[in-house]
Amino acid sequence: MAPFAKPESVLRRADELIAVGQNAAALEALHDVIISKRSRSVPLASLEPIMLKFVELCVSLRKGKIAKEGLHQYKNISQNTSIATIELVIRKFIQLSEEKVQEAQAKADQITLDGLDDLEATETPESILLSTVSGEQNKDRTDRAVVTPWLKFLWEAYRTVLDILRNNARLEALYQTTAHQAFHFCLKYTRKTEFRRLCDLLRNHLQNIAKYAHQPHSINLNEPESLQRHLDTRFQQLNGAAELELWQEAFRSVEDIHNLMTMSKKMPKPFMMANYYEKLTKIFMVSDNYLFHAAAWNKYYTLVKTQNKSVTDEEQTRMASLALLSALAIPVISSKDNGYDVDESKNKSHRLAALLGLSRSPNRAGLLKEALSKNILKHVRPELRELYNILEVQFHPLSICKKIEPIMNKLTEDPELVKYVKPLHQVILTRLFQQLSQVYTTVKLDFVIQLASFAAPFNYDSATIEKFIMQGCKKGELSIRIDHATQSLTFETDLFASDNKTVTDGPVLQSLPSDLMRTQLTRLATCLNTTVSMISPEVVEAKKEAKKAAFVKALASMKEEHKLALERKAIIERKKELIETMLARKEKEEAREKALRLQAEQETLKIRLAEERRKREEERIRAEQEAIRKTESLKLAESLKNKAGVELNDEDLENLDKDKLVAIQIKQLEKEKSEMASRTKAIGKRLDHVERAIRLEERPLLAKDYERQQKADRVYHDAAVKAHHEAAVTKHTHELELKRRMVKILDDYRKVRHDMEEKRQEEFAQKREAARLRIEEEKKRRIQLYREHKAEMEARKVREEKERVEREAETERRAAEEEKRRAEREAQTAKDKVEEEERTRRLDAIAAKTREKDAQIEARLSSSRTGSAAPVLPSKFVPSSSGGERPSWREREAAKNAAATAGATAGETSAASPSTGAYRPPAARSSESARREPAREAPHETPREEEPAPARRPLFGNSAGGWRDREAAKNANQ
């Protein structure tokens, strides 16, 4: 594998190969660069010239498959960065292909002209011989040999480009342009087969849009621009199919257009719809579907009349005549539904009606009624107005054909209306038998043939009449029996036949027996109703009063109903707008989420691909280096083996490196050089001897050849001088004759020239004066505009200055207010801070007093329990084991426990000291006070050990203290 070279080097190498005529090698070099994976990292500015040179070589060598592969690769590389470069390359590819086809055509025409030796000869022996074995002419064979290959290549180029650009929203415009160019190619060269394949290809691409909708840059047919482009292409396809007379393909194109219009939220442009209906008229006419042909003409006429207000009277007459005549030409029998049609034909009718935008299938009577409602008889040609009256209004069975025959002759002379003559004859025969059936019961067949006589080729014989009658009877539209024995026709009447509106569509002289039988009860009811009205007029008056009351009631409630309807409409509109808003918001959110998800996936994919690309690049470089080394060694060894005859086996090839092989090659080259020098010397000597012998032999022959050449030159010179002299004489004579003829009109020429110059000078002077006046007016207008603009600018400056002053004053006012509010906030903050400090100080003083009281109470409790005479100090001077002024909570708890223990011991040892916390009677209390008095009298006496002094009564609780003291005493007893 060759190493990857720089794009500039490859392009320069390709130019060198092209210069020496090696186009195939240059194409291969460019192709290797384009399809290489490393080309994805090459800048597009360097890769674009390579692609342009690549497509140029592909076109010149007719390498369509290689071009397709390269264009696919280039699209994948550049579609995410630059669309313009893809369009440039593809347009260049198409342009070169079309130029090659034009060059081939010019070359074929030149070959055909060069092949004509004698313009007066109609046939040559060669052409006569070729015509016996082949039907082709010389030009056909030349075109097949010269032009056809390039036409095939151009067709493949269009298909390749369409396949590359399909289903890509960013390349959609170029895709549609290429499709239009392909249609033009098929029309220019009348390629019907290629046109069908192109239509199938575009239809397949359109069907695959929904299949590949999840891909990035996919086409969305909900966008109006994309849908409009596809509609334009399909209309171009429809026009091409109609021009090539491919009516089946045209009908498929109509179906494609109808499907796209169904998807579109807005109707196409009126001129496009007019073209659509016009093509439908041609399609239905070719398929002999006169009913839908008339319906299409009706839609076309209505659209043109309503949209195109500038249509001329002549064009309006033409369209109205065609619309009316197409409706009259609908066969009466075949246009009716006889009840025996299968579902397939009904579905077909509904589908055709949908193509015309109709809710149901049309009929002949409806089309004629609609045409009359548009006052079409006012615009049609007089003979067509008379034809309508004869067929649809007047009743004249014995002269209908004679009256219509002059009209039919006029229609036959008109090439645009002659196509309606044949179906009109069917309508005329139907009307003839319908009118005869209302007048006669039995008629002779010869009499009918005489009545239905027309000029050739529309004359009828008995077989044709019989066939037409049988067809009408089969459809159920006619009830005629043919008697071949008497050669007569019998019009049968069934009194109980069902209602058949075919007869009532045309002129009616009298009611049929079946109609009288069927409407007998209806007529009786009508007669009885009239009788009752005459006998009892009050019934009629009551009905009138009831009707009047109903009208009054309807008028009274109409405003309220109208108001309710408007409210309901407004509610529906609001709901619709709300739903649309919600749907749009939902779609927008989904699109945003999808975009974020795709972006995250692309980032992940980009990182992964970059890592894989880096690894592959490293592996490829190593493999390429090893392959290059082996390849060079093998090439060198092969050259030594083939040229120098050095014998090297496989083991030598593996052991020898490049340097050793080069040394062997140098040695061998020196040996060959010495051998070549010796051989060259011997050959030179031999050539000298041969050349000397040749010159000795040709010396006597040179003089004879010189004399022969002088004689031939003299003869040629004399003939050339004579021919030149004769041509000069002939030319001079011709010019003298021409001068003599031209002198006659010289005066007239000068006069006309003088008149024209004067006229041109006058026109020039008038135009110059008009131009000067316009310039003056334009100057005045521009000066006025400048003055107005200047005044406006000055007013704007004054206004802006005033607004600036107001804004500055407003800014200063706001700054002053802001400064005032800031000062107030700072003063309030300082005041709050002082109040907070004062409140904190008061709370600290209260807390300090509370702690002192608690300390005094605890000290008194401790002294009463232990009997110590220690003075009670403030809390902040109470010594503590921790060395601080205030005891910790552990020291306070220890003091409480010690006091409780001391109280419990005193209670056990002194039986006479009852608990002072419990209830005692007065006697006990008096004895206790008596015992305490000696203690007070002798405070310095030491109490007895067996009778310790009673403890001081605590301020709160009993002698045993609180619940902690009781718990401590209980634990001590246990």
Side-chain angles (χ1 to χ4, degrees):
M1 179 179 180
F4 184 80
K6 292 183 179 180
E8 296 80 4
S9 303
V10 174
L11 184 60
R12 188 164 51 252
R13 177 61 178 166
D15 291 335
E16 294 174 356
L17 292 173
I18 293 172
V20 297
Q22 297 183 7
N23 294 343
L27 177 62
E28 184 178 358
L30 296 176
H31 181 258
D32 293 339
V33 173
I34 293 169
I35 66 172
S36 176
K37 294 182 178 179
R38 292 191 62 181
S39 61
R40 299 177 183 176
S41 59
V42 176
L44 292 179
S46 302
L47 199 59
E48 183 178 316
I50 293 179
M51 279 302 302
L52 294 175
K53 183 64 69 176
F54 172 75
V55 297
E56 183 178 350
L57 290 174
C58 288
V59 171
S60 61
L61 297 176
R62 289 209 298 266
K63 300 292 183 181
K65 294 183 178 179
I66 296 177
K68 182 177 182 180
E69 184 179 358
L71 290 174
H72 266 294
Q73 179 72 9
Y74 189 65
K75 187 201 78 169
N76 296 333
I77 293 172
S78 58
Q79 67 177 350
N80 294 324
T81 55
S82 177
I83 297 299
T85 181
I86 302 177
E87 295 180 354
L88 176 63
V89 172
I90 289 180
R91 291 182 191 278
K92 182 70 173 178
F93 180 56
I94 296 296
Q95 179 185 358
L96 292 174
S97 302
E98 293 176 347
E99 289 177 356
K100 287 294 183 180
V101 172
Q102 295 175 0
E103 292 176 2
Q105 282 185 326
K107 183 179 179 181
D109 295 340
Q110 187 63 35
I111 292 174
T112 304
L113 292 175
D114 294 341
L116 295 176
D117 296 332
D118 189 0
L119 296 176
E120 296 182 358
T122 57
E123 292 289 343
T124 61
E126 293 81 2
S127 62
I128 295 173
L129 183 61
L130 286 173
S131 63
T132 58
V133 296
S134 174
E136 297 179 347
Q137 301 297 324
N138 291 333
K139 189 176 187 312
D140 298 333
R141 289 189 292 272
T142 304
D143 290 344
R144 189 174 69 248
V146 179
V147 182
T148 303
W150 285 111
L151 285 177
K152 290 181 179 179
F153 181 79
L154 180 57
W155 165 244
E156 290 297 330
Y158 285 131
R159 292 189 59 180
T160 299
V161 171
L162 290 175
D163 186 63
I164 291 171
L165 302 178
R166 64 186 175 93
N167 197 28
N168 195 319
R170 305 180 69 183
L171 299 170
E172 186 180 5
L174 183 59
Y175 174 86
Q176 304 297 346
T177 304
T178 306
H180 292 176
Q181 291 177 349
F183 286 136
H184 179 69
F185 162 79
C186 296
L187 293 176
K188 182 178 180 181
Y189 300 104
T190 320
R191 308 304 303 175
K192 296 185 178 182
T193 304
E194 284 75 12
F195 187 86
R196 293 192 190 95
R197 292 173 181 172
L198 178 61
C199 295
D200 294 338
L201 180 66
L202 296 178
R203 198 172 293 114
N204 188 22
H205 289 174
L206 183 62
Q207 293 173 357
N208 290 335
I209 288 177
K211 182 178 179 181
Y212 299 107
H214 61 281
Q215 294 182 351
H217 310 306
S218 60
I219 296 175
N220 185 10
L221 290 179
N222 294 326
E223 296 180 358
E225 294 80 5
S226 299
L227 193 60
Q228 186 62 37
R229 292 194 189 99
H230 281 279
L231 275 174
D232 294 341
T233 303
R234 292 311 180 278
F235 274 109
Q236 185 76 13
Q237 176 179 329
L238 176 61
N239 295 334
E243 187 172 347
L244 293 175
E245 297 183 355
L246 298 174
W247 303 114
Q248 187 174 4
E249 198 60 48
F251 182 75
R252 292 179 181 176
S253 303
V254 168
E255 289 184 328
D256 294 341
I257 293 172
H258 179 261
N259 294 332
L260 290 174
M261 288 193 298
T262 305
M263 297 172 60
S264 177
K265 296 181 180 179
K266 62 178 182 179
M267 288 297 294
K269 299 177 181 178
F271 74 89
M272 298 177 68
M273 292 303 300
N275 184 25
Y276 173 77
Y277 290 130
E278 185 180 7
K279 295 301 183 294
L280 274 177
T281 59
K282 295 180 180 179
I283 293 171
F284 289 137
M285 190 65 192
V286 171
S287 61
D288 292 337
N289 194 336
Y290 300 105
L291 176 62
F292 285 95
H293 170 75
W297 262 119
N298 186 25
K299 296 287 287 186
Y300 176 75
Y301 175 72
T302 305
L303 180 64
V304 174
K305 185 178 180 181
T306 55
Q307 296 295 333
N308 190 3
K309 301 299 183 181
S310 62
V311 63
T312 61
D313 294 339
E314 183 180 358
E315 182 65 20
Q316 187 174 1
T317 301
R318 187 188 71 85
M319 292 188 298
S321 301
L322 287 171
L324 179 63
L325 188 59
S326 61
L328 290 175
I330 301 174
V332 179
I333 294 177
S334 61
S335 65
K336 291 293 179 182
D337 185 8
N338 57 8
Y340 298 102
D341 292 339
V342 296
D343 294 337
E344 182 179 359
S345 61
K346 291 183 179 179
N347 294 334
K348 180 180 178 182
S349 298
H350 289 313
R351 189 175 66 173
L352 296 178
L355 293 179
L356 291 170
L358 302 175
S359 58
R360 59 181 182 178
S361 298
N363 53 38
R364 187 176 188 275
L367 292 174
L368 287 173
K369 184 177 180 181
E370 185 176 357
L372 293 177
S373 65
K374 298 173 185 176
N375 199 12
I376 200 172
L377 292 177
K378 181 180 178 182
H379 303 287
V380 300
R381 294 162 57 174
E383 60 268 18
L384 296 181
R385 191 181 306 115
E386 184 179 358
L387 177 64
Y388 171 78
N389 292 328
I390 294 172
L391 289 178
E392 304 297 330
V393 179
Q394 300 175 3
F395 185 89
H396 34 63
L398 300 181
S399 61
I400 181 174
C401 297
K402 293 182 180 179
K403 290 183 177 181
I404 291 178
E405 186 174 5
I407 301 175
M408 301 301 287
N409 293 332
K410 291 183 179 180
L411 295 180
T412 307
E413 295 173 358
D414 194 336
E416 193 173 11
L417 304 179
V418 68
K419 56 189 175 183
Y420 298 106
V421 173
K422 183 178 179 182
L424 277 175
H425 278 85
Q426 302 292 324
V427 177
I428 294 168
L429 283 179
T430 305
R431 291 296 186 222
L432 175 64
F433 284 113
Q434 288 175 353
Q435 295 180 12
L436 287 176
S437 66
Q438 298 182 51
V439 178
Y440 297 99
T441 304
T442 303
V443 293
K444 286 290 185 178
L445 184 59
D446 296 337
F447 178 68
V448 173
I449 295 174
Q450 184 181 359
L451 291 178
S453 60
F454 289 98
F458 299 105
N459 52 348
Y460 297 105
D461 54 1
S462 59
T464 306
I465 298 293
E466 182 178 351
K467 182 179 179 181
F468 181 79
I469 293 172
M470 296 303 296
Q471 183 180 2
C473 294
K474 181 180 178 181
K475 294 285 185 179
E477 304 298 334
L478 299 177
S479 181
I480 302 174
R481 182 166 51 86
I482 302 175
D483 190 350
H484 291 282
T486 60
Q487 292 292 314
S488 62
L489 301 178
T490 303
F491 299 98
E492 297 182 349
T493 57
D494 186 3
L495 297 178
F496 302 99
S498 61
D499 185 15
N500 192 344
K501 294 185 179 180
T502 304
V503 178
T504 59
D505 288 344
V508 178
L509 179 65
Q510 60 183 355
S511 299
L512 296 176
S514 59
D515 295 336
L516 296 175
M517 180 63 70
R518 185 174 58 257
T519 60
Q520 183 177 3
L521 294 177
T522 304
R523 290 184 286 105
L524 177 61
T526 303
C527 183
L528 292 175
N529 187 23
T530 305
T531 305
V532 170
S533 300
M534 295 175 64
I535 295 174
S536 302
E538 60 274 7
V539 176
V540 178
E541 295 295 331
K543 289 183 178 180
K544 291 182 178 180
E545 292 295 331
K547 185 176 181 181
K548 185 177 180 181
F551 278 122
V552 172
K553 185 178 179 180
L555 290 174
S557 61
M558 181 177 65
K559 294 183 179 179
E560 185 66 23
E561 291 180 357
H562 181 65
K563 183 179 179 181
L564 293 175
L566 291 178
E567 292 177 355
R568 185 166 60 254
K569 182 180 179 182
I571 293 172
I572 292 172
E573 291 294 332
R574 285 197 298 270
K575 287 183 178 180
K576 184 178 179 181
E577 291 177 359
L578 181 61
I579 292 172
E580 291 178 353
T581 304
M582 294 175 64
L583 289 175
R585 189 182 297 114
K586 183 178 179 181
E587 291 178 357
K588 186 176 180 181
E589 186 66 23
E590 291 178 354
R592 188 180 64 82
E593 293 178 356
K594 182 179 178 181
L596 292 175
R597 186 169 59 255
L598 289 175
Q599 185 178 1
E601 292 177 357
Q602 289 177 359
E603 291 294 335
T604 306
L605 181 63
K606 188 182 295 184
I607 294 172
R608 181 173 58 82
L609 291 176
E611 185 65 23
E612 292 179 356
R613 187 162 53 248
R614 184 183 61 80
K615 292 181 180 179
R616 288 196 303 269
E617 190 67 20
E618 293 177 355
E619 294 177 358
R620 188 184 62 79
I621 290 173
R622 287 196 297 269
E624 286 181 357
Q625 291 176 352
E626 184 66 23
I628 289 170
R629 187 186 63 80
K630 290 183 178 180
T631 303
E632 290 179 353
S633 300
L634 289 175
K635 287 182 179 178
L636 191 57
E638 288 293 333
S639 64
L640 290 174
K641 185 176 180 181
N642 296 332
K643 296 180 180 179
V646 179
E647 295 294 336
L648 296 174
N649 51 25
D650 296 338
E651 295 180 357
D652 295 336
L653 292 175
E654 294 178 358
N655 296 330
L656 293 175
D657 57 359
K658 185 177 179 181
D659 296 336
K660 294 181 180 179
L661 291 172
V662 170
I664 295 174
Q665 185 181 15
I666 291 172
K667 183 179 179 181
Q668 187 65 27
L669 287 175
E670 291 177 354
K671 181 180 178 182
E672 291 177 356
K673 184 178 180 181
S674 61
E675 293 177 355
M676 181 61 68
S678 61
R679 285 200 302 271
T680 303
K681 187 176 180 181
I683 291 172
K685 290 182 179 180
R686 187 165 59 254
L687 286 176
D688 290 341
H689 291 289
V690 173
E691 184 66 22
R692 188 181 298 113
I694 290 172
R695 291 189 178 183
L696 290 175
E697 290 294 330
E698 71 177 1
R699 184 178 296 172
L701 300 176
L702 290 175
K704 295 180 181 180
D705 183 69
Y706 177 70
E707 293 177 358
R708 182 187 60 77
Q709 189 173 356
Q710 279 184 336
K711 294 178 181 179
D713 291 343
R714 172 60 63 184
V715 172
Y716 175 75
H717 174 72
D718 295 339
V721 169
K722 183 179 180 181
H724 179 71
H725 179 70
E726 292 176 354
V729 170
T730 304
K731 182 179 179 181
H732 179 68
T733 305
H734 176 71
E735 289 177 350
L736 288 176
E737 179 64 22
L738 184 62
K739 179 181 178 181
R740 184 182 62 78
R741 292 167 57 193
M742 291 298 175
V743 166
K744 297 178 181 179
I745 62 173
L746 182 60
D747 296 335
D748 296 336
Y749 163 73
R750 290 174 178 173
K751 183 179 179 181
V752 171
R753 180 177 178 180
H754 179 70
D755 295 341
M756 290 180 65
E757 287 177 352
E758 290 181 351
K759 185 178 179 181
R760 296 286 176 85
Q761 287 177 0
E762 291 176 0
E763 292 177 355
F764 175 72
Q766 293 175 359
K767 290 181 179 179
R768 183 171 58 185
E769 182 64 21
R772 187 185 63 79
L773 294 176
R774 286 197 300 271
I775 290 171
E776 292 296 331
E777 292 176 358
E778 185 67 19
K779 282 182 180 180
K780 294 178 181 179
R781 189 181 65 83
R782 292 194 179 183
I783 290 171
Q784 184 65 23
L785 289 176
Y786 173 74
R787 290 175 179 172
E788 293 176 356
H789 179 69
K790 186 176 180 181
E792 184 180 356
M793 292 299 294
E794 291 177 355
R796 185 184 299 174
K797 281 185 179 181
V798 173
R799 188 169 59 255
E800 290 178 353
E801 182 64 23
K802 184 178 178 181
E803 292 177 354
R804 185 184 63 79
V805 172
E806 292 177 355
R807 285 197 299 273
E808 290 178 355
E810 181 68 17
T811 304
E812 292 176 357
R813 186 181 62 79
R814 290 183 181 177
E817 292 178 356
E818 184 66 25
E819 183 65 24
K820 184 179 178 181
R821 286 196 293 270
R822 187 180 61 79
E824 291 176 356
R825 285 197 299 271
E826 291 178 355
Q828 184 66 28
T829 303
K831 183 178 178 181
D832 294 343
K833 186 176 182 183
V834 171
E835 291 177 356
E836 182 67 23
E837 291 177 355
E838 181 65 23
R839 188 173 64 84
T840 304
R841 187 180 61 77
R842 288 198 301 269
L843 291 176
D844 290 343
I846 293 170
K849 289 180 181 180
T850 303
R851 287 195 298 271
E852 289 178 2
K853 289 179 181 180
D854 292 342
Q856 290 175 5
I857 292 170
E858 289 178 0
R860 284 198 296 270
L861 287 174
S862 300
S863 62
S864 64
R865 292 168 185 163
T866 58
S868 61
V872 179
L873 299 176
S875 61
K876 63 181 180 178
F877 296 107
V878 175
S880 64
S881 61
S882 61
E885 296 178 351
R886 183 180 179 186
S888 63
W889 67 273
R890 291 186 179 86
E891 293 174 348
R892 292 196 298 272
E893 290 295 326
K896 290 179 182 180
N897 293 333
T901 304
T905 307
E908 291 176 359
T909 56
S910 179
S913 58
S915 175
T916 60
Y919 175 77
R920 293 185 299 279
R925 292 198 294 272
S926 61
S927 60
E928 183 180 354
S929 62
R931 285 195 297 272
R932 288 178 181 175
E933 287 178 357
R936 294 192 191 99
E937 295 175 356
H940 299 291
E941 290 184 2
T942 304
R944 290 177 295 181
E945 296 180 359
E946 63 275 5
E947 293 180 0
R952 187 179 179 87
R953 183 179 180 183
L955 295 176
F956 305 99
N958 54 19
S959 62
W963 64 274
R964 294 186 180 87
D965 298 337
R966 291 195 295 272
E967 288 295 324
K970 189 185 295 184
N971 294 333
N973 292 333
Q974 292 177 357

